[in-house]
Amino acid sequence: MQRVVIVTGANSGIGLALCERLLTEDSQLRLCLACRNTQRAEAARSALLTSHTNAHVDLLHLDVGSVQSVFTAAQEVKARYSRIDFLYLNAGIMPNPQVDVKAFFKGLFSRNVINMFATAEGLLTQQDRLNSDGLQEVFATNLFGHFLLIRELEPLLCQAGHTSRIVWTSSSNARRSAFSIEDMQHRNGTEPYSSSKYASDTLSLALNRHKNNQGLFSAVICPGLVMTNLTYGILPSFFWTLIMPIMWLIRIFTNTFTLTPYNGAEALHWLFLQKSESLDPRAKYHSLTSGLGTNYTQPRKMDIDDEMSEVLYSKLLDLERVVRGEANEGNAANKLINST
């Protein structure tokens, strides 16, 4: 039976590399590129069909940072497909990243250089903002929009006798220290990207607890350090020109520097080949590349706990009710949105 796979953020980088690898693995897939930029999505589809002439590649306009766009796209998906086998939640943003240049150069010539590049800990901050829905933009795009999409598509994901998979593209930058359950939108911090990725790790655990018995399984991956448009936006282009030789040298000594989107998609592709029941819900599956260029996947335990995952899941359900207009008064809705 033809499998249906939806990939958000599929027009470039890791998302596009994943689509290429999936079609190479199974040319009979029904692949859906769910993207915000229609023009880029069409270019990505053309590129995929050039190398896979008989492939079935659909396009879906989806901006996961917009509640209305998610609802509209979900309705279109439900009209097109009778079920979903894989939902890859890959889209994400890191707006206005700023680097502590002094800390960068200090770390560049220290024993901490590998960890600095791999996690950006103590190095990278972002300037977040409110979107048109009154939500923090990074939270809405990286976490809540995807959560709404899952909720909308549950009729296609949770079907009797059918197993489906959600796969989140997380990050080594996902750290507990950046996340607060009392401020899940990260209104009061300077690391919204790290906070949102830690939240997706935590949410994945809750989804498995609530949905495994309905045939829906959730997994989390880390692509390693990959050079994508998001990465290149962190530093001026001349910086990357200067340090890229150093990064390729470092890759000889660490397996987390995957560097290319193809390598970074390794864990995403590996999960496509695994049985859902065999996966560890507390593991993050890391894309790794050896010094000789061999790609492989390795599970590593995530720093998450049951209680926090349940609280986060509950708070997201509350926020979902608000954005669906189920609050009795508009003021109450605004109060809830502003308090999360």
Side-chain angles (χ1 to χ4, degrees):
M1 183 178 292
Q2 187 182 46
R3 288 183 286 185
V4 176
V5 179
I6 299 176
V7 182
T8 71
N11 60 276
S12 63
I14 295 170
L16 181 56
L18 169 64
C19 292
E20 174 67 34
R21 296 187 67 164
L22 291 178
L23 289 176
T24 300
E25 185 68 40
D26 183 356
S27 61
Q28 299 304 309
L29 282 180
R30 184 77 180 269
L31 181 63
C32 178
L33 314 184
C35 306
R36 178 174 57 181
N37 189 308
T38 303
Q39 186 175 2
R40 292 182 179 179
E42 290 174 347
R45 180 178 184 272
S46 296
L48 291 170
L49 291 177
T50 297
S51 53
H52 303 277
T53 54
N54 296 320
H56 301 278
V57 182
D58 301 327
L59 298 182
L60 175 71
H61 180 259
L62 169 65
D63 178 0
V64 285
S66 164
V67 169
Q68 188 55 55
S69 179
V70 171
F71 288 158
T72 301
Q75 289 305 311
E76 188 170 341
V77 169
K78 285 184 280 191
R80 286 186 192 177
Y81 311 116
S82 60
R83 74 178 196 289
I84 297 171
D85 295 279
F86 284 83
L87 177 58
Y88 283 97
L89 305 176
N90 174 72
I93 59 170
M94 184 192 291
N96 305 307
Q98 296 188 356
V99 175
D100 185 329
V101 177
K102 183 178 179 180
F104 173 78
F105 280 107
K106 182 178 179 180
L108 189 62
F109 300 102
S110 73
R111 291 179 296 178
N112 194 47
V113 61
I114 294 176
N115 183 69
M116 180 187 73
F117 275 117
T119 67
E121 186 172 0
L123 181 67
L124 194 64
T125 61
Q126 306 96 53
Q127 295 178 350
D128 202 0
R129 63 182 181 181
L130 290 178
N131 67 8
S132 59
D133 295 313
L135 302 168
Q136 292 297 132
E137 187 175 36
V138 176
F139 165 83
T141 304
N142 294 2
L143 179 73
F144 187 61
H146 282 133
F147 175 75
L148 282 182
L149 185 64
I150 295 167
R151 295 282 294 162
E152 280 289 295
L153 298 181
E154 279 189 13
L156 304 187
L157 291 164
C158 302
Q159 296 184 353
H162 175 247
T163 298
S164 60
R165 186 91 51 80
I166 297 168
V167 184
W168 300 81
T169 299
S170 183
S171 170
S172 58
N173 193 241
R175 300 192 313 278
R176 180 192 286 259
S177 61
F179 178 75
S180 169
I181 194 64
E182 289 77 26
D183 182 24
M184 70 175 183
Q185 291 195 45
H186 204 73
R187 294 181 183 276
N188 303 313
T190 59
E191 298 181 274
Y193 181 81
S194 179
S195 174
S196 68
K197 292 301 181 180
Y198 183 80
S200 67
D201 295 354
T202 304
L203 176 58
S204 181
L205 181 63
L207 287 170
N208 279 312
R209 185 179 303 110
H210 288 272
K211 300 299 178 181
N212 280 179
N213 63 352
Q214 299 177 46
L216 176 59
F217 294 79
S218 180
V220 179
I221 75 101
C222 174
L225 179 63
V226 181
M227 306 311 297
T228 64
N229 291 336
L230 187 151
T231 314
Y232 281 119
I234 295 174
L235 291 168
S237 58
F238 74 89
F239 269 100
W240 291 117
T241 302
L242 290 174
I243 68 175
M244 279 306 294
I246 298 174
M247 294 176 68
W248 281 99
L249 178 63
I250 292 175
R251 201 182 88 165
I252 299 174
F253 304 100
T254 177
N255 54 12
T256 60
F257 278 39
T258 51
L259 297 184
T260 70
Y262 181 92
N263 295 345
E266 178 67 22
L268 293 166
H269 175 249
W270 183 84
L271 284 170
F272 181 74
L273 305 176
Q274 309 307 308
K275 291 186 179 297
S276 300
E277 298 82 356
S278 68
L279 302 177
D280 182 352
R282 295 180 176 276
K284 180 180 292 186
Y285 293 87
H286 288 251
S287 296
L288 302 172
T289 303
S290 71
L292 297 177
T294 301
N295 295 320
Y296 60 104
T297 298
Q298 183 181 86
R300 298 176 181 176
K301 289 289 185 181
M302 295 189 287
D303 181 21
I304 52 179
D305 62 71
D306 292 343
E307 182 179 357
M308 183 180 291
S309 71
E310 280 301 305
V311 174
L312 176 62
Y313 186 70
S314 177
K315 288 171 75 73
L316 290 173
L317 289 175
D318 288 341
L319 187 55
E320 178 194 355
R321 284 189 283 271
V322 171
V323 300
R324 289 182 184 277
E326 294 180 10
N328 292 327
E329 297 181 8
N331 289 337
N334 291 333
K335 182 178 180 181
L336 180 54
I337 287 177
N338 291 329
S339 67
T340 53

